[in-house]
Amino acid sequence: MIYKSIADKLRLRLNSSDFNVGSPLPGEKALALEFGVARMTIRKATDLLVTWGLVERRHGSGTYVARKDVHHETTNLTGLVEVLREQGKSVVSKVLTFEVMAAPPAIASQLRIPVDTQIYFSRRIRYVEGKPLMLEDSYMPVKLFRTLSLSHLEGSKFDYIEKECGITISGNYESLAPVLADKQLAVSMNVAEHTPLLRITSLSYSDSGEFLNYSVMFRNAREYQVDYHLRRIHPDTALTHSPE
């Protein structure tokens, strides 16, 4: 569906620094010209954004950004393996589960695919210098990665996606929250029950607007520190957009 693809691309754009909450969207006529479609198609795409709660229509005024569904956006995206290898550390990935399954509603919603679409589910533990750093549950659409194998998951997914599949990863949305290790997590991560862990949800997307990978990770924050460089965008330097 063309309008769904356009909605996904607009969603990525709204989450960028080009827009603030309250910023107006370009008008239907301008967007129809940009995407080469009818205004009705743009209207259906905007309807999806309204359904997702990202924009709101104001009668007689236009459509405006209501909220963003991304918490932080860094200026550089680098895979965990890439970062740690640059630091000279030994990284090993142990794959516990690798299977094809039908996408349940919650995962289908994240990847913007129909419910029951075929996806890969994998669970792996990442070891650094022999210590378990992170447990990761990952979901990837089968239609985009038909050659995905166990050996790829034992290495770098970023390398597989970009170098073997030829897909450019444009960005990644992450949400972080502290949690306490339950019994199963404690055993997998070799920590005491109720140890503080960092829960990270990650959604990667391509330069064409497709969502490539959704992951839920549990990281041992005591063993690994992440530093973020976040730029502040000032209103006088941000791009502005006018309604039609």
Side-chain angles (χ1 to χ4, degrees), residues 97-104 107 111 113 117-123 137-150 152-153 157 160 165 212-215:
T97 305
F98 179 41
E99 62 187 20
V100 174
M101 61 181 286
I107 303 303
L111 292 172
I113 56 177
T117 298
Q118 294 288 288
I119 61 172
Y120 294 109
F121 167 69
S122 62
R123 172 171 290 173
D137 285 347
S138 178
Y139 307 87
M140 302 171 69
V142 170
K143 68 176 183 179
L144 297 179
F145 307 109
R146 300 208 177 264
T147 61
L148 182 66
S149 68
L150 189 65
H152 293 127
L153 295 174
K157 282 190 299 185
Y160 166 71
C165 298
L212 309 172
N213 176 80
Y214 176 66
S215 292

Side-chain angles (χ1 to χ4, degrees), residues 18 21 27 51 63 67-68 76 80 82 106 124 131 158 165 178 180 197 199 201 243:
D18 290 350
V21 172
T51 300
T63 304
R67 70 177 182 89
K68 298 192 177 193
N76 187 40
L80 174 65
E82 294 171 290
R124 57 183 182 168
K131 296 180 181 180
F158 274 25
C165 298
L180 298 178
L197 300 175
R199 181 183 186 271
T201 60

Side-chain angles (χ1 to χ4, degrees), residues 75-145:
T75 57
N76 187 40
L77 175 61
T78 309
L80 174 65
V81 170
E82 294 171 290
V83 172
L84 295 175
R85 282 177 178 166
E86 286 177 1
Q87 297 175 359
K89 297 184 183 296
S90 169
V91 183
V92 174
S93 298
K94 180 181 179 181
V95 181
L96 305 179
T97 305
F98 179 41
E99 62 187 20
V100 174
M101 61 181 286
I107 303 303
S109 175
Q110 291 290 341
L111 292 172
R112 300 296 193 272
I113 56 177
V115 174
D116 291 334
T117 298
Q118 294 288 288
I119 61 172
Y120 294 109
F121 167 69
S122 62
R123 172 171 290 173
R124 57 183 182 168
I125 296 180
R126 320 298 295 277
Y127 294 86
V128 179
E129 303 292 302
K131 296 180 181 180
L133 165 67
M134 184 172 68
L135 182 142
E136 176 191 25
D137 285 347
S138 178
Y139 307 87
M140 302 171 69
V142 170
K143 68 176 183 179
L144 297 179
F145 307 109

Side-chain angles (χ1 to χ4, degrees), residues 165-185:
C165 298
I167 298 174
T168 300
I169 302 173
S170 287
N172 190 60
Y173 298 136
E174 287 191 356
S175 176
L176 296 81
V179 297
L180 298 178
D182 58 19
K183 187 173 182 179
Q184 182 179 357
L185 269 174

